[in-house]
Amino acid sequence: MKYDSSTARLVAILRRTIDGMRPGDRLPSSRELMRAHGVSPVTVSRALGQLAAEGLVVTRPGAGTFVAHTPATRAETADLSWQTVALGDRVVNDSGMSAMLTPPADDVIPLSSGYPNSTLRPDRALANAAARAVRRPDAWAIPPLAGVPELRRWFAAEVGGDVTASDVLVVGGGQAALSHVFRALAAPGTAVLVETPTYPGALACARAAGLRATAVPMDQDGVRPDLLAEAFAITGARVFYCQPTLHNPTGAVLTMERREQVLAIARAAGAFVIEDDYARYLTAGPAGSVPPPLIALDTHGTVVHINSLSKILAPSVRVAGVTVRGPAARRLRASQLVESFFVARPLQETVVELTGSSVWRRHIAAMSAEIAVRRDALASALATHLPAARIHLVPPGGMHLWLHLPSQVDEERLVEDARQNGVLVSPGRFYHPSEPPGPHLRVTHIAATHVAELTEGVRRLAAALEAQTTRG
Ligand SMILES: Cc1ncc(COP(=O)(O)O)c(C=O)c1O
């Protein structure tokens, strides 16, 4: 069974239509397209949006959609090969990342993606908060460079312990935080230790900063302290990147005993620990069901803590608080200033408005309940329909389950066959900084439209695995 996207189909048809037209010609109206091709208004608007993004058409509100005057083929015909020479070999490797941010085609079930389904987003509360934010005095002026004071105070209170607002730097989301932190804390060419598996976006950032990502194995209780100590000794690394709470992709939560050990080991190595606390608000139970952040145990300025709000609120809430002390704080602030000045003030003020309203706690509670239901539904569908895949653990929150596949499975082919069958899953190899120890998948419960889709998604995945097994 193939689930070709109706949008992709319409795009292909319109491309052919445009080929036979002249610049400035008007395309059929949306209504005509809907009637002629039997598609919905959403499909038409997505298709036209894609063609506009490619520069093939221009849309004039009220007038219609027209074939663009600048042929989009110019880039193909012009000789731009000089750029290849000019750019040299400094490739930025984004494999695994663009797929994470691309919306799925129609009829395809996303058991992938790093963000909750749009139906779970507090869009109305965000719109109200943004409306209030832009009415604040000086909303469009330069904010205090390290962040709006109310927001810095809020982030500090969230971290707890003896952290104060002056320890917080507001940056443009978790990904930007990783990029700043890697660049600020480690010199190009040096090693950075990472859990394996780990978040591919962190690997990409580390590599873009010229760092060598060295894998430290983990088990169900998080990173293995014995191997962490050994890795520090062998590599001389001064940075360890980790997600101690609801780790992506495995869901592991570092035990309290290991938290103390990790801090002691990093201190002995004279190294920083970057704590990516991306899932702080994504617990399946009450907030206390996961340990407080690692930084709450740290009195030596060892931990640099990142708290991003994009998962719990919306991907476009590109706001994160980085808690960092000592000379590292000065370096990080300088890095942000040089690279991007500051985070847009209306966005910061929007977060202040939203987190200061009663919606914030209510939204977290609603998400927790949703996460518990979806996690259990996905685990149960996997046990029923895909028993060959072993669930690493059922975590107390987060968005994903990590699957160990039988060793003979061709992971890459399975992901592609699953896509053809109408379900997207994330290939395990992207999560390993070095050789993957075997075939794995990350499956996500939070991006699907509703719980029933999870079972259907697993069925489609199981059918793809079954077909591979039968083919041999
Ligand atoms: C572990 C982890 N850290 C950081 C990020 C970056 O997210 P954002 O930039 O939206 O905060 C992601 C996104 O998927 C993630 O999974």
Side-chain angles (χ1 to χ4, degrees):
M1 187 168 30
K2 300 249 181 212
Y3 288 82
D4 279 339
S5 143
S6 47
T7 307
R9 255 195 324 267
L10 185 56
V11 166
I13 292 169
L14 290 177
R15 256 194 246 284
R16 284 196 296 276
T17 312
I18 291 165
D19 270 351
M21 295 169 79
R22 283 170 318 188
D25 283 353
R26 191 172 171 284
L27 263 68
S29 70
S30 297
R31 204 179 289 263
E32 285 164 340
L33 290 173
M34 279 157 53
R35 211 174 313 115
H37 303 289
V39 290
S40 71
V42 177
T43 303
V44 170
S45 107
R46 281 191 188 156
L48 292 178
Q50 182 171 330
L51 294 169
E54 291 173 17
L56 288 172
V57 299
V58 281
T59 299
R60 294 194 207 108
T65 303
F66 301 85
V67 178
H69 275 282
T70 320
T73 48
R74 182 181 288 168
E76 285 157 29
T77 50
D79 182 3
L80 304 178
S81 44
W82 66 269
Q83 289 199 358
T84 307
V85 178
L87 288 169
D89 61 359
R90 292 167 298 116
V91 173
V92 175
N93 186 347
D94 65 352
S95 35
M97 290 189 67
S98 45
M100 194 174 89
L101 300 174
T102 308
D106 297 351
D107 300 331
V108 170
I109 296 175
L111 298 185
S112 60
S113 168
Y115 297 98
N117 185 271
S118 59
T119 52
L120 303 175
R121 272 196 326 246
D123 281 358
R124 186 176 308 167
L126 278 166
N128 291 338
R132 293 195 299 274
V134 292
R135 287 199 297 270
R136 286 182 159 214
D138 277 341
W140 298 98
I142 296 175
L145 296 179
V148 166
E150 274 171 283
L151 185 55
R152 295 174 79 198
R153 270 199 298 280
W154 181 83
F155 272 123
E158 289 295 293
V159 168
D162 59 358
V163 167
T164 68
S166 60
D167 300 321
V168 175
L169 172 67
V170 177
V171 304
Q175 193 66 25
L178 290 175
S179 187
H180 287 308
V181 171
F182 281 130
R183 282 178 202 283
L185 301 185
T190 60
V192 56
L193 305 185
V194 300
E195 294 151 318
T196 187
T198 192
Y199 166 52
L203 293 175
C205 271
R207 287 173 182 146
L211 306 175
R212 290 180 285 116
T214 301
V216 186
M218 42 189 315
D219 58 24
Q220 305 219 339
D221 292 331
V223 72
R224 296 244 324 253
D226 52 335
L227 297 176
L228 180 65
E230 201 177 320
F232 271 125
I234 293 171
T235 60
R238 291 303 179 99
V239 175
F240 169 46
Y241 164 78
C242 61
Q243 306 161 54
T245 306
L246 300 170
H247 171 265
N248 172 12
T250 65
V253 176
L254 193 66
T255 59
M256 284 309 284
E257 191 190 357
R258 285 197 184 177
R259 284 174 188 247
E260 299 278 7
Q261 290 170 348
V262 163
L263 284 182
I265 290 164
R267 239 175 260 147
F272 289 100
V273 174
I274 302 173
E275 180 179 21
D276 184 351
D277 208 8
Y278 83 105
R280 171 72 22 207
Y281 306 110
L282 303 177
T283 53
S289 53
V290 292
L294 205 54
I295 193 169
L297 302 172
D298 170 35
T299 48
H300 290 73
T302 298
V303 179
V304 177
H305 177 265
I306 302 172
N307 180 2
S308 167
L309 300 178
S310 62
K311 308 284 183 196
I312 185 68
L313 289 179
S316 272
V317 177
R318 312 270 350 126
V319 172
V322 179
T323 302
V324 49
R325 292 168 278 191
R330 283 195 287 284
R331 174 134 346 154
L332 219 74
R333 278 192 215 177
S335 158
Q336 146 131 319
L337 195 58
V338 168
E339 285 183 32
S340 55
F341 285 0
F342 50 80
V343 176
R345 188 166 189 156
L347 205 48
Q348 297 194 49
E349 304 275 17
T350 299
V351 172
V352 171
E353 287 286 349
L354 193 128
T355 52
S357 76
S358 56
V359 171
W360 171 243
R361 289 284 152 206
R362 275 209 310 275
H363 173 62
I364 293 179
M367 279 294 275
S368 288
E370 185 74 29
I371 286 169
V373 168
R374 284 171 174 252
R375 175 203 59 190
D376 294 346
L378 181 58
S380 137
L382 286 163
T384 309
H385 301 291
L386 200 60
R390 182 169 62 80
I391 301 175
H392 184 70
L393 59 89
V394 178
M399 304 186 286
H400 321 289
L401 296 178
W402 181 241
L403 304 182
H404 300 262
L405 299 172
S407 57
Q408 71 278 11
V409 171
D410 180 336
E411 176 192 294
E412 197 172 347
R413 211 164 92 191
L414 176 60
V415 171
E416 178 50 27
D417 290 350
R419 193 186 66 77
Q420 298 273 335
N421 263 8
V423 61
L424 300 180
V425 291
S426 308
R429 66 182 185 286
F430 288 145
Y431 297 81
H432 293 283
S434 46
E435 296 81 359
H440 291 91
L441 293 181
R442 190 194 75 173
V443 285
T444 303
H445 55 66
I446 208 76
T449 309
H450 43 73
V451 176
E453 269 194 2
L454 299 175
T455 309
E456 177 55 21
V458 171
R459 277 210 195 97
R460 293 179 189 181
L461 177 60
L465 183 60
E466 172 71 27
Q468 187 179 117
T469 316
T470 318
R471 274 197 311 261

